[in-house]
């Protein structure tokens, strides 16, 4: 089990050498340029479990979301804020042995529990990794779909997060957001605010539908045009 977990948690890119030498791959410094703060409350992370999986399956939540997002065999999917892995496990089955799923969470203990589940269920097409609050740490040009289910309202720095997410998408890749239509302080995101914040970083909303089975709505976004300079991004005003 220890060896399997080590493989699951191994980074996709090389990190700095232990002897203090410079990294083989240079990363952009986190404070390279200013990003605007979100002009809204940020919900706290209250639990890795949004609801029990049996209840969600009775409503065919994941099935409806993945069908609407056109997730197919052979695709590469990122599950951001994966928690206990409800979508991770089902996306792995949907993309099949020729597809890949990367599950990411920012809470180390949650990441470890999910890695144990992935190892226990012998999901060879899933890898698990630890991200950061302002950076999902995804490899570039890799993903057909990025899932963000009931977690967008918990992102403390949405403009920086979305800016750093953009390069991970394939040219026709989509970001799929599922959230509740309520104020962010109440663990939701009003659809107009979501659309505005994505647009500020150069994403175009390509679809939005009510999704009662998932407790809210589902919106999909595509990165369009050049990625804006951080200092050119303007925060969406909620008042």
């Amino acid at each position: 089990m220890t060896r399997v977990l080590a493989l699951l948690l191994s980074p996709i890119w090389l990190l700095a050498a232990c002897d203090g030498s410079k990294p083989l791959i240079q990363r952009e410094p986190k404070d390279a340029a200013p990003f605007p703060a979100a002009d809204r409350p940020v919900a706290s992370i209250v639990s890795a479990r949004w609801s029990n999986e049996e209840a969600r399956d009775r409503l065919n939540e994941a099935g409806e979301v993945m069908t609407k997002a056109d997730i197919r065999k052979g695709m590469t999917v990122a599950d951001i804020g994966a928690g206990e892995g409800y979508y991770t496990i089902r996306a792995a089955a949907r993309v099949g042995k020729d597809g890949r799923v990367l599950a990411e969470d920012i809470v180390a203990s949650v990441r470890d529990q999910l890695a144990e589940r992935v190892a226990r269920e012998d999901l060879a097409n899933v890898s698990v990794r630890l991200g950061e609050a302002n950076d999902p740490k995804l490899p570039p040009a890799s993903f057909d779909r990025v899932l963000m289910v009931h977690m967008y309202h918990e992102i403390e720095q949405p403009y920086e997060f979305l800016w750093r997410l953009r390069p991970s998408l394939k040219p026709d890749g989509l970001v799929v957001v599922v959230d509740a239509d309520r104020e962010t302080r109440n663990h939701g995101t009003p659809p107009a605010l979501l659309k505005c914040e994505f647009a500020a970083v150069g994403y175009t909303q390509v679809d939005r539908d009510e999704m009662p089975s998932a407790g809210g709505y589902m919106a999909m976004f595509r990165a369009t045009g050049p990625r804006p300079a951080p200092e050119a991004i303007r925060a969406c005003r909620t008042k």
Side-chain angles (χ1 to χ4, degrees), residues 130-215:
L130 189 67
E132 295 180 357
N134 63 340
D135 186 353
K137 291 182 171 291
L138 301 181
S142 298
F143 296 96
D144 299 290
R145 301 290 184 269
V146 174
L147 298 176
M148 300 169 65
V149 180
H150 289 291
M151 55 76 63
Y152 183 81
H153 49 266
E154 297 174 353
I155 299 174
E156 294 181 9
Q157 298 165 300
Y159 302 105
E160 182 175 2
F161 185 93
L162 294 175
W163 190 87
R164 296 189 185 281
L165 173 67
R166 272 190 57 148
S168 71
L169 293 168
K170 292 181 180 180
D172 58 349
L174 296 174
V175 180
V176 180
V177 179
V178 176
D179 216 336
D181 184 1
R182 53 177 177 254
E183 296 301 316
T184 54
R185 63 169 57 87
N186 296 322
H187 290 270
T189 309
L193 176 62
L194 181 74
K195 182 178 180 180
C196 181
E197 291 188 345
F198 267 80
V201 194
Y203 294 83
T204 298
Q205 182 173 295
V206 296
D207 196 12
R208 183 172 76 83
D209 286 297
E210 296 303 311
M211 194 67 64
S213 64

